């Protein structure tokens, strides 16, 4: 999840900054003489960069991959906690080998679903 999160934020932060710069430049740029052409070219280039960045984000789907991996890691953590609780804090009788194998088999099945 961290891998995809870093990639996502590396692209989303510049995208936000570029689109903000476009808005600000469109308002404050002096549109008289030669400055008008330079302003239009600069804003167009920034718009193209923002479009490429947004398209890359949509194509790579880093945010959805980040969410999937995060949710999967949460599920695995929950399964590990359940197994740990079963082994360490079982009231009464100790956990039988068969029962432990059943729990582990259930966890393996859930891991297969996560993948």
């Amino acid at each position: 999840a961290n891998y995809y999160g870093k990639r996502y934020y590396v692209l989303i932060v510049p995208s936000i900054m570029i689109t903000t710069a476009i808005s600000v430049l469109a308002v404050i740029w002096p549109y008289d003489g030669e400055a008008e052409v330079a302003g239009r070219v600069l804003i167009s280039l920034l718009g193209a960069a923002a479009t490429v960045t947004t398209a890359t984000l949509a194509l790579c789907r880093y945010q959805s991959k980040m969410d999937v991996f995060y949710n999967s890691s949460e599920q695995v953590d929950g399964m590990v906690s359940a197994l740990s609780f079963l082994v360490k804090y079982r009231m009464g009788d100790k956990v039988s080998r068969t029962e432990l194998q059943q729990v582990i088999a259930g966890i393996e099945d859930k891991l297969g679903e996560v993948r």
Side-chain angles (χ1 to χ4, degrees), residues 62-111:
Y62 288 132
Q63 184 177 14
S64 61
K65 289 179 182 178
M66 177 179 66
D67 292 340
V68 166
F69 277 97
Y70 179 76
N71 291 336
S72 298
S73 69
E74 290 292 319
Q75 289 178 358
V76 170
D77 286 344
M79 289 183 272
V80 168
S81 295
L83 183 61
S84 176
F85 184 80
L86 177 69
V87 172
K88 290 182 181 179
Y89 303 108
R90 175 74 180 239
M91 301 300 239
D93 297 334
K94 293 199 179 252
V95 180
S96 69
R97 183 180 183 107
T98 310
E99 186 179 1
L100 194 57
Q101 286 175 339
Q102 288 174 347
V103 170
I104 290 172
I107 290 174
E108 288 173 348
D109 291 341
K110 288 179 184 177
L111 284 175

Side-chain angles (χ1 to χ4, degrees), residues 33-53:
E34 294 178 17
E36 179 180 4
V37 174
R40 291 188 189 277
V41 169
L42 179 63
I43 290 173
S44 297
L45 289 174
L46 287 173
T51 302
V52 168
T53 305

